[in-house]
């Protein structure tokens, strides 16, 4: 049986590559595994040899110690892989298929899954709706920053690429289908982005850049990306976005210089709970700053898409209220402007097949937009460090050298 190396969270600021068990079709105990899931049989699953698995900003929240993630948790919810084993209940997939795996684990059988709300499946996490690989309080499904990983309910969850050779040629684009491309796209769709829209995307990290590329794909007239990281703003400009430096003064004033008015049609929060303030307060954390800023600059009757992560438990927060996810929102402003808000995990399967087609038929270059870069699994600690330092890069782990072969 093959070995299995994986990336584990050890303590705030520290990840390391460790040896773990090769996956089986039964859930075993381990760091973060919900006790009610221990011993759960997975005849509907497949075991993947990982083709690519990405470092995500959501992983970084845990690594910074901003969640209750336990030491030893195997990280990684952005997974693309080749099937090497399948359970007896898997009917429509075969060994050798290359598939994209949505980060949200879904049974395909509960009420929410049948309503395409796969981000809040009712059956895969005993504690609450919604689950993901390698993530705190998400049921304890082992993460995919590893050489091999188990994917349950595979006929439902896995998106098969139609041509293996074509998939490997475009793997740096296709690897984004597991999370950030659908997540950015969902943020834009829920914000009402369409042909001729003006859009403000808060955050120029990978999800923000994916949202900006999605806004272009949806036909937006002007896409403005705001951040305080100059390298990331430069990356946004590289594919046709306007930019706002949130350290330079009020966002509305800068938007007015670009559009002739201080408001946009659609707002997207791609930052989440570790937001910093704007202007003179940009050096300190203000977890509600992005949401409040979006309400200020989104026109009356507009919508806010909020794919940025907010949590119910943040031990590193600066206030007692923020430690339990309570933020000082200007809800009165949003109410007065009749804003619509859409929060929560992206239901990846709602979008990933269509976005796959857009990639395969050269309608979008998402890897270029997010500045994807492949690194080895052993270089994961360096990738986490550089990402935390603000690198304008989407780090793609390459555990089994598929990307080099391509």
């Amino acid at each position: 049986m093959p070995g299995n190396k994986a990336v584990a969270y050890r303590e705030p600021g520290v990840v390391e590559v460790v040896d773990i068990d090769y996956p089986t079709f039964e859930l075993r105990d381990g760091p973060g595994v919900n006790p009610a899931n221990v011993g759960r049989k997975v005849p509907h699953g497949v075991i993947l040899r990982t083709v690519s698995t990405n470092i995500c900003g959501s992983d970084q929240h845990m690594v910074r110690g901003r969640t209750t993630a336990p030491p030893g948790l195997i990280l990684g919810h952005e997974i693309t892989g080749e099937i090497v084993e399948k359970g007896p209940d898997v009917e429509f997939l075969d060994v050798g298929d290359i598939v994209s795996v949505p980060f949200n684990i879904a049974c395909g059988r509960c009420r929410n899954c049948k309503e395409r709300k796969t981000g809040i499946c009712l059956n895969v996490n005993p504690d609450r709706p919604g689950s993901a690989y390698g993530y705190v309080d998400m049921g304890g499904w082992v993460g995919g920053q590893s050489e091999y990983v188990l994917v349950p309910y595979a006929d439902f969850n896995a998106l098969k690429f139609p041509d293996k050779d074509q998939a490997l040629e475009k793997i740096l684009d296709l690897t984004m289908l597991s999370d950030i491309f659908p997540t950015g796209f969902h943020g834009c769709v829920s914000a009402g982005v369409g042909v001729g829209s003006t859009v403000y995307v808060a955050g120029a990290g990978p999800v923000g850049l994916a949202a900006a590329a999605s806004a272009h794909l949806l036909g937006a007239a002007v896409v403005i990306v705001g951040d305080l990281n100059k390298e990331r703003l430069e990356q946004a400009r590289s594919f046709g976005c306007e930019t706002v430096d949130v350290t330079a003064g009020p966002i509305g004033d800068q938007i007015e210089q670009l559009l002739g008015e201080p408001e946009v049609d659609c707002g997207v929060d791609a930052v989440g709970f570790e937001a910093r303030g704007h202007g003179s307060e940009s050096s300190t954390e203000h977890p509600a700053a992005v949401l409040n800023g979006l309400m200020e600059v989104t026109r009356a009757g507009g919508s806010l898409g909020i794919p940025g992560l907010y949590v119910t438990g943040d031990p590193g927060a600066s206030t007692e209220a923020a430690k339990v996810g309570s933020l000082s929102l200007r809800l009165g402003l949003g109410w007065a402007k009749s804003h619509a808000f859409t929060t929560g995990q992206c239901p990846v399967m709602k979008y990933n097949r269509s976005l796959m087609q857009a990639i395969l038929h050269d309608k979008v270059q998402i890897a270029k937009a997010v500045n994807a870069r492949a690194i080895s699994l052993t270089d994961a600690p360096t990738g986490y460090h550089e990402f935390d330092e603000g690198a304008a890069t989407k780090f793609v782990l390459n555990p089994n050298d598929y990307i080099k072969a391509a």
Side-chain angles (χ1 to χ4, degrees):
M1 185 174 291
N4 193 16
K5 293 188 180 300
V7 180
Y9 165 67
R10 280 303 175 205
E11 60 185 38
V14 179
V15 301
E16 63 180 350
V17 179
V18 299
D19 290 306
I20 64 171
D21 291 337
Y22 183 84
T24 66
F25 295 105
E26 179 179 326
L27 296 190
R28 292 173 288 205
D29 199 6
V33 177
N34 190 300
N37 267 348
V38 175
R40 186 170 182 165
K41 302 289 194 281
V42 191
H44 41 69
V46 295
I47 295 172
L48 301 183
R49 189 171 188 249
T50 305
V51 171
S52 58
T53 176
N54 317 324
I55 296 175
C56 180
S58 299
D59 299 319
Q60 199 65 270
H61 292 308
M62 291 186 289
V63 173
R64 290 182 184 130
R66 298 300 296 268
T67 71
T68 55
L73 182 74
I74 303 303
L75 299 166
H77 55 270
E78 301 189 12
I79 306 165
T80 304
E82 180 178 7
I83 297 174
V84 293
E85 293 185 51
K86 69 177 191 175
D89 291 352
V90 177
E91 186 175 359
F92 304 113
L93 296 169
D94 292 308
V95 170
D97 289 343
I98 294 184
V99 298
S100 176
V101 181
F103 76 87
N104 15 55
I105 302 168
C107 71
R109 305 168 187 186
C110 70
R111 173 180 177 176
N112 284 345
C113 284
K114 290 176 180 178
E115 293 176 356
R116 302 181 78 191
K117 301 172 183 174
T118 52
I120 43 175
C121 174
L122 300 174
N123 288 331
V124 287
N125 183 356
D127 282 340
R128 57 186 172 89
S131 190
Y133 304 89
Y135 208 81
V136 59
D137 297 331
M138 288 291 193
W141 300 83
V142 176
Q145 288 177 13
S146 56
E147 293 174 314
Y148 296 90
V149 63
L150 170 70
V151 173
Y153 303 102
D155 279 328
F156 184 65
N157 281 309
L159 174 66
K160 177 183 172 181
F161 297 140
D163 183 271
K164 188 171 184 177
D165 291 337
Q166 184 188 31
L168 289 174
E169 287 175 4
K170 292 182 176 288
I171 196 63
L172 280 180
D173 292 287
L174 293 170
T175 192
M176 305 305 163
L177 291 173
S178 58
D179 183 352
I180 67 163
F181 193 12
T183 293
F185 194 84
H186 177 61
C188 290
V189 169
S190 55
V193 177
V195 174
S197 298
T198 57
V199 185
Y200 176 65
V201 178
V207 170
L209 295 172
S214 298
H216 284 144
L217 189 61
L218 288 163
V222 183
V223 180
I224 305 168
V225 179
D227 206 297
L228 47 77
N229 182 313
K230 291 178 172 50
E231 184 182 355
R232 290 180 172 180
L233 290 175
E234 183 179 350
Q235 179 63 27
R237 289 191 292 271
S238 74
F239 61 97
C241 300
E242 302 289 348
T243 58
V244 162
D245 182 345
V246 300
T247 68
I251 299 170
D253 291 351
Q254 296 183 65
I255 289 175
E256 186 169 23
Q257 292 174 11
L258 295 168
L259 300 179
E261 56 185 358
E263 292 183 325
V264 294
D265 298 321
C266 314
V268 179
D269 173 5
V271 178
F273 73 104
E274 286 193 77
R276 293 188 176 275
H278 299 150
S280 61
E281 297 184 330
S282 59
S283 62
T284 56
E285 194 169 291
H286 292 269
V290 167
L291 290 172
N292 288 334
L294 283 170
M295 285 187 276
E296 290 177 2
V297 302
T298 302
R299 68 174 178 83
S303 298
L304 276 61
I306 310 173
L309 176 68
Y310 290 87
V311 294
T312 56
D314 175 12
S318 57
T319 68
E320 291 303 310
K323 287 180 180 179
V324 294
S326 295
L327 310 181
S328 298
L329 291 179
R330 294 188 63 194
L331 188 58
L333 175 61
W335 188 93
K337 296 178 79 171
S338 295
H339 284 157
F341 300 78
T342 300
T343 65
Q345 290 185 33
C346 165
V348 170
M349 276 187 278
K350 189 174 181 179
Y351 309 106
N352 64 349
R353 185 174 298 276
S354 296
L355 295 177
M356 175 187 73
Q357 293 288 73
I359 290 170
L360 294 178
H361 293 281
D362 299 318
K363 300 301 181 184
V364 65
Q365 293 181 301
I366 188 65
K368 184 177 179 181
V370 302
N371 194 26
R373 189 174 102 204
I375 61 175
S376 70
L377 189 72
T378 55
D379 285 335
T382 300
Y384 269 95
H385 175 73
E386 291 184 10
F387 188 36
D388 193 46
E389 291 291 306
T393 303
K394 177 66 172 177
F395 289 99
V396 177
L397 301 181
N398 182 25
N400 291 299
D401 292 328
Y402 281 87
I403 298 174
K404 183 173 66 176

